[in-house]
Amino acid sequence: MTPARHDSLTAFLVGMSGIALFSGMDAVMKGLVLAIGTFATMFWRNLIGIGLSGSFYLRPGMPAPSASTLRLHIARGVLSTLMGFLFFWALGRVPLAQAIALSFIAPLIALFLAAALLHEEVGRRTVIASLAAFAGVVVIFVGQARADLGREALLGSLAVLGSAVCYAVNIIMMRKQSLVASPAEAAFFQATVVTATLACFIPIAGIAVPPLNQWPWLVLAAILAVASSSLLTWAYARAEASYLAATEYTAFLWASLFGWLIYREAVSLFTVAGAALIVGGCIAGARRPGESAPRLEAAI
């Protein structure tokens, strides 16, 4: 195994570990959202995250980020606030595995955003792949209708799709951020900007101090968020985003496991079939002509 291949495989495994921790965080956040609400859960978790990530980043002699890097931190943090709020709000209304499956459409949305913003060509294969992924979304919604989960579940599913649009932009921004900032710096500014953004809405939304029995879960969610963010930033600095995007799909397995173990959520065949169509479409859309699998050599 060549050094480049070995480094890329290591980045893939680290990225997959980051997704596993992120899925665990989603499971903890679902319980917190049900207990204390979406806004309070996000605010207190990120406030704890500032302290955790700051203990690694705020050390004597650490250089301050450049103005351009700071702008990137702020932009991604603000975007992550909206993305996170939509997704965590949805977790309180739809099964964990279903929410993750719907979020998988983000990589394909990223391809069309790249075409719109960067004037990249969208080929025939991408269009066909998008139709397959859209069919997967339809299948999941059909399964939801048959299960008669109600209006709240429908709104939750739509919120996940809105979050996926935000995440598509986030994928591009995370790649840029990983090339100019350390994992500790990215995690610190992510938590700081999200907390500051949410704080602006406290006069409108209000916020209460959570009961004592919820603080251990908030701390655990913050630890998992910081750890997963750091692992993903490390991985994205060492391999192409198109190669590491495949690690995102392992989240469905983790979400299915955590949803069943913690919340006794059964995974319907409609959700499995829809997830398969979405993942298949994303893989086909991202694959370059002549490639049978993602390249293992990092291009940086």
Side-chain angles (χ1 to χ4, degrees):
M1 184 178 290
T2 64
R5 190 178 295 269
H6 180 271
D7 290 345
S8 293
L9 178 60
T10 300
F12 187 90
L13 294 175
V14 170
M16 191 164 58
S17 299
I19 293 298
L21 293 182
F22 209 86
S23 299
M25 186 269 294
D26 285 341
V28 176
M29 289 290 284
K30 180 180 178 73
L32 287 165
V33 166
L34 293 172
I36 64 175
T38 307
F39 187 85
T41 296
M42 285 188 64
F43 179 81
W44 294 112
R45 189 209 72 180
N46 280 281
L47 189 63
I48 295 170
I50 293 175
L52 291 174
S53 57
S55 64
F56 293 98
Y57 173 63
L58 298 176
R59 300 195 305 268
M62 287 292 292
S66 65
S68 59
T69 301
L70 185 58
R71 285 194 295 270
L72 181 59
H73 287 322
I74 294 173
R76 186 176 173 229
V78 172
L79 177 68
S80 295
T81 304
L82 176 59
M83 176 185 76
F85 187 87
L86 288 172
F87 185 77
F88 294 132
W89 183 86
L91 284 186
R93 289 156 179 81
V94 298
L96 191 60
Q98 182 177 311
I100 295 297
L102 287 172
S103 71
F104 283 161
I105 202 169
L108 272 180
I109 297 174
L111 291 178
F112 284 97
L113 285 176
L117 300 176
L118 305 177
H119 307 292
E120 295 181 1
E121 182 180 354
V122 176
R124 179 183 176 186
R125 173 166 41 202
T126 301
V127 174
I128 295 174
S130 300
L131 292 175
F134 179 75
V137 173
V138 172
V139 167
I140 291 175
F141 272 91
V142 169
Q144 187 179 83
R146 287 174 62 90
D148 194 22
L149 297 179
R151 180 174 177 272
E152 285 290 295
L154 174 61
L155 292 176
S157 296
L158 293 175
V160 173
L161 293 179
S163 179
V165 174
C166 296
Y167 189 58
V169 181
N170 185 68
I171 289 174
I172 299 172
M173 296 178 71
M174 180 164 58
R175 174 63 172 169
K176 292 181 178 179
Q177 187 185 47
S178 69
L179 298 176
V180 296
S182 68
E185 179 182 320
F188 173 75
F189 279 98
Q190 172 91 347
T192 302
V193 175
V194 171
T195 303
T197 304
L198 290 171
C200 294
F201 293 92
I202 289 179
I204 301 173
I207 194 168
V209 178
L212 288 176
N213 65 337
Q214 297 300 329
W215 282 101
W217 297 109
L218 284 166
V219 172
L220 176 59
I223 291 173
L224 291 173
V226 171
S228 62
S229 177
S230 298
L231 288 176
L232 289 171
T233 301
W234 188 95
Y236 272 84
R238 289 161 176 80
E240 290 179 323
S242 58
Y243 171 60
L244 291 176
T247 64
E248 302 279 346
Y249 306 131
T250 63
F252 182 75
L253 302 177
W254 293 110
S256 300
L257 176 63
F258 294 144
W260 178 73
L261 286 176
I262 301 172
Y263 302 106
R264 292 293 182 262
E265 295 174 344
V267 181
S268 72
L269 291 178
F270 285 95
T271 299
V272 174
L277 284 169
I278 294 171
V279 170
C282 289
I283 292 175
R287 187 176 296 163
R288 298 178 178 87
E291 287 186 328
S292 58
R295 292 185 299 171
L296 289 177
E297 288 80 10
I300 57 175

